[in-house]
Amino acid sequence: MRKVVIGSAVICAATACAVAAFIVKHRMKKSGRWARAEAIVNDFEEKCATPIGKLRQVADAMMVEMHAGLASEGGSKLKMLISYVDSLPKGDEKGLFYALDLGGTNFRVIRVQLGGKEQGVINQEAEEVSIPPHLMVGSSYELFDFIASEVARFVTSESEEYQLPAGRQRELGFTFSFPVRQTSLASGTLIKWTKGFSIEETVGEDVVSELTKAIERQGLDLRVAALVNDTVGTLAGGRYYDNDVIAAVILGTGTNAAYVERAHAIPKWHGLLPKSGEMVINMEWGNFRSSHLPLTEYDLLLDTESLNPGEQIFEKLISGMYLGEILRRVLLSLAEEASFFGDIVPPKLMVPFILRTPHMSSMHLDTSSDLRVVGSKLKDILGISNTSFKTRKMVVKLCDIIAKRGARLSAAGIFGILKKQGRDVATEKQRTVVALDGGLFEHYTTFRKSLENTLAEMLGKDVDSSVIIKHANDGSGIGAALIAAAHSQYLELDSS
């Protein structure tokens, strides 16, 4: 009997030891995984670092590229395109003006009634129209005919208060958000279609001419007064409300910047110097690249696998199109190399661009005690359930690293523009306003605050008080109408 008891005790002890060993081994495995995950995140954080010294190098590199791009065509990664906008709205424009904003599968027709200094924008109305998919791959004639017919319908349905005096033409600003080689204020040839459009016969053609012919076929007496990039439109919209606006930046799905340059500082400009002595430059700053940019292996792989490898490097670091995708790639690395979400890599985590920047923003801004928003986003989007608080906290840390790197680099870019304009130093009574637009800037509050704080840090106390970041909403719409007003053929008639 005693032998049986001893035997049973030995078996129990052995079982207990085995269980204990299993638990210890499991914990060691788990702690090993976590140590590996922490090492990956710490390495990523180190490579994303943007100390002020590095940001100043980025800003200086931006300024060097700006000079090179202004000197000659193709002299820089920055295109520094001449917009032919040499006169921005002053706020005293009067009359009825229109805008056509074509930037994707929808377009907007906008009507703006301006009342001069006293009344400003009296009335603004817009209508959005979806383009039928077959017209996006059909003929140039059919596409522009459809657009012109919608413009004509918008105009002919107007009430009598919008009727112009006899003999006076309506004037329109055309925002065309596709790659264009601009040849004058109101002409530009299409370089290539993007965003799902594919009409080969339009490539190399003047898009203003195509639109004008279609408008004439509708029997509508309307002149296209300006062909405008959406960033230039944002600058015009900002200037209309505030005469100290000298630059505009869009931070949304994509990114770009435009600013006011002294005409004599543009060596590649061979025409007569404009009366204003100024010219708006469309930088196309998304294509900026420099050895000072903090690129990681995730950024390099994203670029290699993109539709435009080697291009738009700055955009791939700071814009809404890519921030969420960078986060997905780091999480995938954690899942593969550190079993961050368990032994199996979540299949949805392997799907490119499944994690969008708005999802990342929601997780980053989660203030709940248990980070439940992070948990629900991981479950709903990536199919990852039962995440621990520790795991969620690590995800938030990654959001912070990626967003703040993007925001701080954006601030460095803006500082580069201000430095090029000589507005990075304190002078008496000089007020500088930069107009910003785009969903990333508007809705991602941590990104916006980081950008503003970083710019203030770079400028220093003496200068920061005179530099203002101002949100300029819907520049691509109203801005085009305002540029049409600033370049109206009736300006001299109206002022006499």
Side-chain angles (χ1 to χ4, degrees):
M1 181 70 182
R2 191 162 170 243
K3 285 182 181 177
V4 173
V5 172
I6 292 170
S8 297
V10 169
I11 291 166
C12 287
T15 305
C17 285
V19 170
F22 175 78
I23 291 168
V24 169
K25 191 177 177 183
H26 180 70
R27 282 180 180 166
M28 283 177 70
K29 189 179 176 185
K30 208 169 180 182
S31 67
R33 285 175 177 177
W34 189 256
R36 178 72 187 124
E38 282 187 319
I40 290 168
V41 172
N42 290 339
D43 179 61
F44 178 65
E45 184 174 27
E46 201 175 297
K47 288 173 178 171
C48 286
T50 50
I52 286 296
K54 182 179 272 290
L55 293 178
R56 292 196 185 283
Q57 290 175 320
V58 169
D60 288 345
M62 177 76 80
M63 201 171 73
V64 167
E65 290 296 319
M66 289 170 76
H67 278 286
L70 290 172
S72 63
E73 293 296 343
S76 163
K77 276 285 186 184
L78 293 178
K79 290 191 172 70
M80 302 299 285
L81 302 172
I82 294 168
S83 70
Y84 296 88
V85 174
D86 57 13
S87 176
L88 285 164
K90 298 179 177 68
D92 59 359
E93 291 78 11
K94 288 183 178 181
L96 183 66
F97 298 93
Y98 298 82
L100 171 63
D101 183 6
L102 176 59
T105 54
N106 295 346
F107 66 87
R108 288 184 305 152
V109 190
I110 301 154
R111 174 173 50 243
V112 182
Q113 181 87 42
L114 303 174
K117 285 275 186 201
E118 298 298 315
Q119 294 174 287
V121 177
I122 299 169
N123 193 15
Q124 181 182 340
E125 294 175 56
E127 196 170 297
E128 189 160 333
V129 182
S130 293
I131 299 173
H134 72 276
L135 292 181
M136 294 168 66
V137 293
S139 70
S140 192
Y141 185 100
E142 289 174 321
L143 175 65
F144 283 98
D145 244 30
F146 176 74
I147 293 169
S149 68
E150 291 297 325
V151 173
R153 191 177 59 77
F154 183 76
V155 170
T156 54
S157 63
E158 289 174 343
S159 59
E160 282 188 18
E161 64 180 303
Y162 296 119
Q163 298 308 306
L164 292 174
R168 185 153 179 156
Q169 253 187 328
R170 286 180 168 81
E171 294 178 294
L172 174 142
F174 183 19
T175 302
F176 187 73
S177 301
F178 298 90
V180 162
R181 187 169 288 107
Q182 196 142 353
T183 47
S184 74
L185 179 64
S187 63
T189 55
L190 177 66
I191 296 169
K192 64 175 179 179
W193 285 109
T194 55
K195 306 173 191 177
F197 285 80
S198 182
I199 307 170
E200 199 57 40
E201 66 188 35
T202 321
V203 176
E205 295 297 323
D206 180 357
V207 291
V208 173
S209 174
E210 294 293 301
L211 178 61
T212 300
K213 285 185 284 187
I215 286 169
E216 287 170 355
R217 289 195 292 271
Q218 294 293 325
L220 189 63
D221 192 17
L222 184 148
R223 167 179 169 260
V224 181
L227 177 64
V228 180
N229 167 275
D230 56 355
T231 317
V232 175
T234 299
L235 176 55
R239 176 66 72 90
Y240 179 78
Y241 292 105
D242 190 328
N243 207 42
D244 292 326
V245 170
I246 49 85
V249 175
I250 289 182
L251 285 163
T253 305
T255 183
N256 194 12
Y259 75 104
V260 181
E261 182 59 273
R262 294 155 299 157
H264 65 77
I266 311 170
K268 69 180 179 183
W269 171 257
H270 301 301
L272 292 170
L273 288 179
K275 287 179 187 175
S276 66
E278 296 180 335
M279 180 63 72
V280 174
I281 298 294
N282 166 19
M283 290 177 63
E284 293 292 339
W285 86 347
N287 207 39
F288 170 68
R289 80 174 299 167
S290 158
S291 59
H292 299 299
L293 291 174
L295 293 164
T296 69
E297 60 268 38
Y298 307 101
D299 304 303
L300 296 171
L301 200 58
L302 185 154
D303 175 52
T304 303
E305 295 172 3
S306 70
L307 295 171
N308 54 347
E311 301 292 319
Q312 301 297 107
I313 300 299
F314 196 50
E315 181 168 84
K316 287 167 184 170
L317 288 172
I318 71 172
S319 81
M321 177 79 184
Y322 298 101
L323 298 184
E325 173 62 6
I326 297 166
L327 175 61
R328 182 196 70 83
R329 286 172 178 267
V330 182
L331 291 176
L332 179 60
S333 173
L334 287 169
E336 289 175 338
E337 296 177 40
S339 303
F340 191 60
F341 299 112
D343 293 328
I344 299 166
V345 175
K348 286 186 177 179
L349 195 51
M350 299 182 200
V351 180
F353 293 94
I354 191 171
L355 197 59
R356 294 170 52 244
T357 302
H359 302 143
M360 173 177 153
S361 171
S362 298
M363 293 192 288
H364 195 179
L365 302 174
D366 186 2
T367 55
S368 62
S369 59
D370 58 350
L371 297 176
R372 71 177 70 96
V373 175
V374 179
S376 67
K377 290 291 177 193
L378 292 173
K379 184 182 177 184
D380 297 345
I381 299 154
L382 300 172
I384 303 166
S385 52
N386 303 319
T387 48
S388 67
F389 178 73
K390 202 176 178 183
T391 299
R392 294 174 188 183
K393 207 170 175 184
M394 185 73 92
V395 172
V396 173
K397 182 179 179 178
L398 286 170
C399 293
D400 197 64
I401 294 166
I402 295 163
K404 285 185 177 171
R405 178 185 66 168
R408 287 172 69 80
L409 289 173
S410 303
I414 294 170
F415 184 79
I417 296 171
L418 296 178
K419 196 169 182 179
K420 172 73 176 72
Q421 294 174 304
R423 288 175 180 260
D424 61 321
V425 289
T427 55
E428 277 185 46
K429 296 178 182 176
Q430 181 174 260
R431 182 172 171 271
T432 299
V433 183
V434 182
L436 268 94
D437 195 12
L440 184 63
F441 176 78
E442 187 177 356
H443 302 300
Y444 201 154
T445 51
T446 307
F447 186 99
R448 182 173 71 244
K449 285 174 184 171
S450 179
L451 185 157
E452 291 169 344
N453 292 340
T454 305
L455 184 60
E457 191 181 349
M458 294 186 78
L459 288 166
K461 280 184 183 177
D462 292 343
V463 186
D464 175 50
S465 58
S466 64
V467 175
I468 296 147
I469 297 288
K470 188 180 271 191
H471 181 220
N473 203 7
D474 190 30
S476 64
I478 190 172
L482 293 169
I483 289 174
H487 292 82
S488 170
Q489 61 189 324
Y490 304 110
L491 276 181
E492 289 183 17
L493 184 68
D494 289 342
S495 59
S496 60

